[in-house]
Structure formats: structure tokens, C-alpha cells
Amino acid sequence: MRNKGEVLEDIEEIVKKEFEEKKKAGQLSLAHDISHVLWVANASSLVARYLARREGLEKHEEEICYLARIAGLLHDIKREAIETKP
């Protein structure tokens, strides 16, 4: 069974490939590129950690952060390029 770090690496690689394909096809949103997705993934994990601690869920904190990071990585994977400015 693969560990969570390996799964996150795989998901990040899938997202990066998807965004690279969109870029080549001229379909990449200038406002929602890979740097945006990585920022959202990091911010989601930090917010999840804060909320888990605030709600007394410390024993589930890592799992909550893990799932929030995955959600952040995937949140724009199928976004269409409609923005013209970053």
C-alpha cells in the first residue's frame, strides 16, 4: 500500500500534466494556473489544520489536512480559460 506522500505526489503530477496540456492547447486560464492551484492546496491545508485544532480534532488533524490538500490540488483541474488577465 502506498503512503500518503506518494499519493499526493501522484496527484500533483497528474494536475501538473493536465495544466501543461491546457497551456499547450491555449486553454489555460491566466488567473488559475498551476501556481494558483499549489497556493490553494497549501492554504487549504493550513486552514484545515487551524480548524481541526480549534474544533478539538487534533487526533484527526493530519488526515483532515491531507484531504484538504488534495481538494486544493484538484479544485481547478477542469476550469476553462475565460480570464484574460492573471
Side-chain angles (χ1 to χ4, degrees), residues 9-71:
E9 287 175 9
D10 288 349
I11 292 170
E12 193 169 316
E13 188 61 33
I14 289 167
V15 171
K16 285 179 179 178
K17 284 181 183 177
E18 180 75 19
F19 277 67
E20 187 59 37
E21 288 176 20
K22 286 181 180 219
K23 185 176 183 178
K24 287 178 184 176
Q27 299 173 335
L28 182 64
S29 166
L30 297 176
H32 297 89
D33 63 4
I34 192 67
S35 65
H36 163 77
V37 169
L38 295 173
W39 185 92
V40 170
N42 289 331
S44 298
S45 183
L46 290 172
V47 170
R49 184 174 309 282
Y50 166 78
L51 292 173
R53 289 178 181 176
R54 188 184 77 178
E55 298 300 318
L57 298 170
E58 289 88 354
K59 72 178 191 175
H60 302 289
E61 184 178 320
E62 291 307 314
E63 188 71 16
I64 292 167
C65 291
Y66 172 73
L67 295 172
R69 183 161 180 80
I70 290 172

